[in-house]
């Protein structure tokens, strides 16, 4: 078998014949010819087929495999947006992205207020609190008077995705924060603060997408479709935002298999 393979595969670095007595394989090569000769000798000693010796006792008895659903759940009757609406949202989103790119350098150079302390990239809990606020992250139930007049305590309500803030995020941080928020959303309900930040981060996400970002936005669209499928009324405030997230992922980022069809 080896001789047949040698006939099929031409030698890219042919070696001239030499006196084997002059070459000692136990010593370091003295020139390129001896180095190649040593490589050939080591390769000839390797078996054609190698079988790994696996100890079954070291394998876990129960191994879980996470398999994600490829597509979105279909929208309930009357909950799906029209194609015209989706096209309008894609057009608006494209304009927002162009505006962000145009003004990014200006806002990147601006100083933030003293109360705006951005977490480090790897601080997942810090970013969740920064974006969503302590009230949401800690499940703090607001009093009726607080709901009517929540004030501007961003530590409690979350910092909005101001252009002065998101312009300072590089692509690595954008992907990280996007992952943190989507993971939070996998186990929690959709809230306005989440929608604002997801929209802003998607607007800052550069194309072509990296594989990690590609997987994240598909995860987001699937989660939005799952929440939408459980809505009881078309008048639910979350419906428009959920449809918008699915629309942006599917139509703008060209994940067409996730798109809503009329």
């Amino acid at each position: 078998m080896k001789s047949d393979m040698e006939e099929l595969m031409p030698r890219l670095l042919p070696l001239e014949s030499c006196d084997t007595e002059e070459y000692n394989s136990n010593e370091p090569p003295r020139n390129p010819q001896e180095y190649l000769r040593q490589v050939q000798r080591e390769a000839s000693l390797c078996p054609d087929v190698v079988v790994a010796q696996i100890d079954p006792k070291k394998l876990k008895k129960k191994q879980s495999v996470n398999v994600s659903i490829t597509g979105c759940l279909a929208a309930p009757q009357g909950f799906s947006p029209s194609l015209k609406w989706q096209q309008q949202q894609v057009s608006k989103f494209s304009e927002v992205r162009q505006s962000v790119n145009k003004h990014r350098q200006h806002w990147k150079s601006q100083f933030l207020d003293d109360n705006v302390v951005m977490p480090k990239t790897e601080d997942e809990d810090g970013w969740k609190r920064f974006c969503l606020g302590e009230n949401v992250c800690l499940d703090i139930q607001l009093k009726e008077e607080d709901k009517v007049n929540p004030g501007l305590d961003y530590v409690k309500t979350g910092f909005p995705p101001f252009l002065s803030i998101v312009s300072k995020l590089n692509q690595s941080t954008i992907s990280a924060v996007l992952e943190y928020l989507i993971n939070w959303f996998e186990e929690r309900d959709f809230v306005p603060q989440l929608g604002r930040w997801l929209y802003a981060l998607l607007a800052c996400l550069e194309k072509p997408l990296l594989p990690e970002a590609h997987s994240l936005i598909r995860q987001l669209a699937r989660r939005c479709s799952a929440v939408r499928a459980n809505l009881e009324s078309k008048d639910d405030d979350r419906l428009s935002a959920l449809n918008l997230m699915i629309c942006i992922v599917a139509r703008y980022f060209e994940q067409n298999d996730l798109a809503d069809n009329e």
Side-chain angles (χ1 to χ4, degrees):
M1 182 64 184
K2 184 178 292 186
S3 60
D4 294 340
M5 290 298 296
E6 290 176 350
E7 292 179 1
L8 293 173
M9 301 176 63
R11 295 185 178 183
L12 299 180
L13 296 172
L15 292 177
E16 298 178 357
S17 60
C18 64
D19 187 357
T20 56
E21 295 181 358
E22 297 180 358
Y23 170 61
N24 187 350
S25 61
N26 294 324
E27 296 181 358
R30 295 170 295 181
N31 52 54
Q33 286 76 21
E34 290 187 359
Y35 170 75
L36 294 174
R37 208 170 288 121
Q38 181 175 332
V39 171
Q40 283 188 341
R41 179 178 178 276
E42 293 175 354
S44 67
L45 298 176
C46 296
D48 294 335
V49 179
V50 178
V51 179
Q53 300 297 325
I54 300 176
D55 185 1
K57 297 179 181 180
K58 295 183 179 180
L59 297 176
K60 295 181 179 180
K61 294 182 178 179
K62 296 182 179 180
Q63 299 188 36
S64 59
V65 178
N66 295 323
V67 180
S68 60
I69 303 174
T70 56
C72 287
L73 295 177
Q77 184 67 31
F79 285 58
S80 178
S82 67
L83 180 58
K84 181 179 180 180
W85 183 89
Q86 294 180 64
Q87 292 171 340
Q88 292 174 342
Q89 301 310 314
V90 169
S91 178
K92 292 179 181 178
F93 182 70
S94 180
E95 292 176 359
V96 169
R97 284 174 62 89
Q98 293 176 10
S99 178
V100 169
N101 289 331
K102 181 179 180 181
H103 301 289
R104 184 190 298 273
Q105 290 302 321
H106 168 75
W107 285 106
K108 187 176 181 179
S109 61
Q110 301 300 309
F111 291 101
L112 297 174
D113 293 339
D114 295 337
N115 66 323
V116 183
V117 181
M118 297 171 61
K120 296 182 179 179
T121 301
E122 63 275 10
D123 186 2
E124 180 172 355
D125 290 335
W127 274 109
K128 290 177 181 177
R129 294 193 182 195
F130 184 86
C131 299
L132 306 177
E134 291 184 351
N135 291 341
V136 171
C137 291
L138 302 179
D139 283 329
I140 297 177
Q141 300 297 324
L142 298 180
K143 299 178 181 179
E144 289 300 325
E145 56 267 24
D146 294 331
K147 294 180 180 180
V148 176
N149 185 21
L152 290 177
D153 189 347
Y154 290 138
V155 173
K156 294 183 178 180
T157 62
F159 287 88
F162 295 126
L163 197 54
S164 57
I165 293 177
V166 297
S167 294
K168 291 179 169 55
L169 305 181
N170 56 33
Q171 288 299 301
S172 176
T173 304
I174 290 173
S175 295
V177 178
L178 194 60
E179 180 179 5
Y180 300 153
L181 295 180
I182 293 175
N183 288 341
W184 181 90
F185 184 33
E186 284 287 348
E187 300 177 355
R188 306 286 288 275
D189 199 1
F190 190 90
V191 294
Q193 297 96 315
L194 176 66
R196 288 192 289 266
W197 268 97
L198 290 175
Y199 190 92
L201 293 172
L202 291 175
C204 297
L205 199 60
E206 294 180 357
K207 297 175 68 175
L209 297 178
L210 295 174
E212 296 81 2
H214 179 271
S215 176
L216 280 173
I217 65 172
R218 290 182 63 85
Q219 179 184 350
L220 170 61
R222 291 194 296 266
R223 175 56 181 165
C224 287
S225 71
V227 175
R228 181 181 61 182
N230 291 320
L231 297 182
E232 298 180 355
S233 170
K234 291 185 291 185
D235 296 328
D236 195 303
D237 294 336
R238 295 168 292 175
L239 178 59
S240 179
L242 294 170
N243 283 338
L244 179 58
M245 292 295 107
I246 298 172
C247 172
I248 291 174
V249 171
R251 300 293 183 181
Y252 184 84
F253 289 103
E254 301 175 339
Q255 306 301 306
N256 298 318
D257 61 306
L258 304 179
D260 287 314
N261 298 313
E262 289 184 299

